[in-house]
Amino acid sequence: MTIDFTTEAAALSTELIELRRDLHRNPELGLDLPRTQRAILDALEGLPLEITTGTGLTSVIAVLRGGRPGPTILLRGDMDALPVVETTGLDYASTNGNMHACGHDLHVSGLVGAAKLLSAHQDELAGTVAFMFQPGEEGLGGAKDMIDEGMFDTIGSTPDAAYAIHVAPGEPGTFVTRPGTIMAGANTFHLTMHGKGGHSSRPQDAVDPIRPLLEFGQAVYSMVTGSFSVFDPIVAEVTQLNAGSAVNIIPGTASLAMSVRTLSAETTKRFPELATRLAESIAAAHRCTAEVVWNEQYPVTVNDAAEAAFTVETLQRAFGPDRVVEAPDPVMGSEDFSYVLEEVPGAFVFLFVTPDGVDPETAAVNHSPEVLFDDAHLPDQAAALATLAWERSLRD
């Protein structure tokens, strides 16, 4: 049985837009989002859902048990905003110093819409659909926290498939995904050079840690181009430098930090090994020692090939082949839905929602204080999630 969720979702447009704009006016940060959680619970009230809230974070898991046997499908929407002062000029713009500059207000509203659409067909639904409302995506790993708190036990089993949609600037109404790696892993590399402090007039009596630090800062770029394949690239950028407190003092330590984006587990493992070896050799040449801290913040986001193909085929049938694109390359941004996809085969999908009258080529990007997302696409977002869950439930 096929259901036209796109038509049914049109009737939800007003309430989904109202929810999105309420969330946009009142953004919250991190893992503790009490107002956002309350808005979600209110929006889901009256639906035939088993609802569980988190203990260490203000997550919401809503489970819809279908009237027929079938697989378990997970749909996810992240909830948190960013510490960005909004400058969009919208009449529903945030004024609290934070901003939904990555579109998570749309993600929450779209997932609420999917819950409403599927709940209306509970008796015909095969299997179970779990709606994962997740705080702390922006660098705090809320997805992993929800898994660690026992989300799959709450649902009743590890899901058979998982899907998420993320809005972004681009040709309005276009869905984009790809098999395999779709987003990079996020990592940080911290290096401290230890020397011996002294007076700037007598460098011969000191061991200057700044010189090897600067040398490493240049050499690491050559290491990247010379040691990693262009077909499995990485992006490594020095973004912080710290040394000294007075101009006439040679400090005892100097440090830098790098943001490192990787597209495979192999490069994620290899980069710190090579960079540490490089740092230690340069430090030794300058009579210093090198202290390295490597942090793997988010894993690479990898779509299951079969689920990505299913997603493309399903969305093309629902919205037309011209609105669904397979991306040729991954995105070097990162996403903690990667933790879910490490446990469950699934697909991460982008939906482009640049407003009419704004050039997609020059539109402000996610995390910008000026970024604009057109919430007129919320019904399609909700319909896409509902359609993926429904059609996937019929496969097993």
Side-chain angles (χ1 to χ4, degrees):
M1 175 183 179
T2 298
I3 295 176
D4 182 6
F5 286 112
T6 56
T7 298
E8 293 187 9
L12 299 176
S13 179
T14 299
E15 63 181 286
L16 295 183
I17 290 173
E18 287 177 353
L19 173 60
R20 181 263 167 151
R21 296 187 181 188
D22 175 67
L23 295 172
H24 194 88
R25 288 188 191 95
N26 300 281
E28 296 176 298
L29 305 181
L31 298 170
D32 186 25
L33 317 176
R35 190 189 185 283
T36 305
Q37 183 189 58
R38 184 70 260 164
I40 292 167
L41 295 174
D42 289 346
L44 298 178
E45 188 173 0
L47 298 180
L49 302 168
E50 299 171 11
I51 294 179
T52 305
T53 55
T55 55
L57 69 169
T58 52
S59 58
V60 177
I61 301 169
V63 181
L64 177 66
R65 311 252 180 226
R68 301 163 50 205
T72 298
I73 313 301
L74 177 70
L75 302 176
R76 180 272 213 157
D78 38 3
M79 303 159 57
D80 55 322
L82 288 155
V84 172
V85 177
E86 183 166 356
T87 59
T88 60
L90 294 169
D91 59 6
Y92 54 90
S94 166
T95 58
N96 69 2
N98 304 320
M99 179 185 174
H100 271 296
C102 205
H104 296 186
D105 49 339
L106 283 90
H107 301 172
V108 168
S109 304
L111 190 57
V112 165
K116 288 177 177 287
L117 291 169
L118 290 166
S119 291
H121 297 278
Q122 181 184 23
D123 291 344
E124 308 103 296
L125 176 66
T128 297
V129 181
F131 305 91
M132 175 186 178
F133 294 90
Q134 179 220 310
E137 192 282 324
E138 296 293 354
L140 296 176
K144 186 175 188 303
D145 289 345
M146 290 184 70
I147 293 170
D148 290 345
E149 278 198 353
M151 176 175 67
F152 296 156
D153 291 335
T154 299
I155 295 169
S157 65
T158 300
D160 297 285
Y163 308 99
I165 291 178
H166 198 302
V167 297
E171 189 61 36
T174 303
F175 295 92
V176 180
T177 191
R178 72 187 308 274
T181 297
I182 187 166
M183 296 190 76
N187 315 276
T188 59
F189 181 89
H190 301 264
L191 169 62
T192 301
M193 290 289 186
H194 294 275
K196 177 184 175 184
H199 199 285
S200 61
S201 68
R202 296 183 61 82
Q204 70 274 17
D205 296 330
V207 179
D208 185 355
I210 296 177
R211 299 183 193 192
L213 189 81
L214 294 178
E215 186 174 328
F216 173 87
Q218 291 296 317
V220 71
Y221 293 116
S222 296
M223 184 202 80
V224 167
T225 57
S227 301
F228 293 90
S229 169
V230 295
F231 302 107
D232 187 9
I234 69 171
V235 172
E237 284 294 321
V238 176
T239 53
Q240 293 180 330
L241 287 169
N242 293 285
S245 58
V247 74
N248 62 342
I249 297 174
I250 295 173
T253 61
S255 63
L256 63 74
M258 304 182 69
S259 171
V260 183
R261 303 297 171 123
T262 54
L263 293 178
S264 70
E266 292 75 16
T267 55
T268 303
K269 180 177 183 295
R270 192 160 176 251
F271 179 87
E273 295 173 350
L274 295 182
T276 299
R277 188 185 311 161
L278 178 66
E280 290 175 344
S281 64
I282 292 174
H286 289 266
R287 298 182 295 130
C288 291
T289 58
E291 176 188 353
V292 168
V293 176
W294 171 253
N295 176 44
E296 295 180 19
Q297 186 179 28
Y298 284 168
V300 178
T301 304
V302 182
N303 282 346
D304 178 82
E307 294 296 344
F310 162 78
T311 297
V312 170
E313 294 165 4
T314 300
L315 295 182
Q316 284 182 339
R317 285 197 302 271
F319 297 98
D322 57 325
R323 287 186 55 187
V324 184
V325 176
E326 186 170 312
D329 301 303
V331 175
M332 295 309 288
S334 302
E335 165 61 57
D336 82 342
F337 191 62
S338 55
Y339 289 115
V340 175
L341 293 180
E342 285 187 328
E343 305 287 336
V344 181
F348 188 77
V349 182
F350 291 102
L351 171 60
F352 294 158
V353 292
T354 294
D356 291 340
V358 177
D359 184 354
E361 295 296 323
T362 59
V365 298
N366 292 46
H367 291 217
S368 164
E370 300 176 351
V371 67
L372 294 169
F373 302 114
D374 188 353
D375 48 25
H377 296 279
L378 275 172
D380 281 354
Q381 184 180 336
L385 289 168
T387 300
L388 287 171
W390 183 270
E391 295 296 328
R392 181 62 178 80
S393 73
L394 300 177
R395 278 179 46 191
D396 290 5

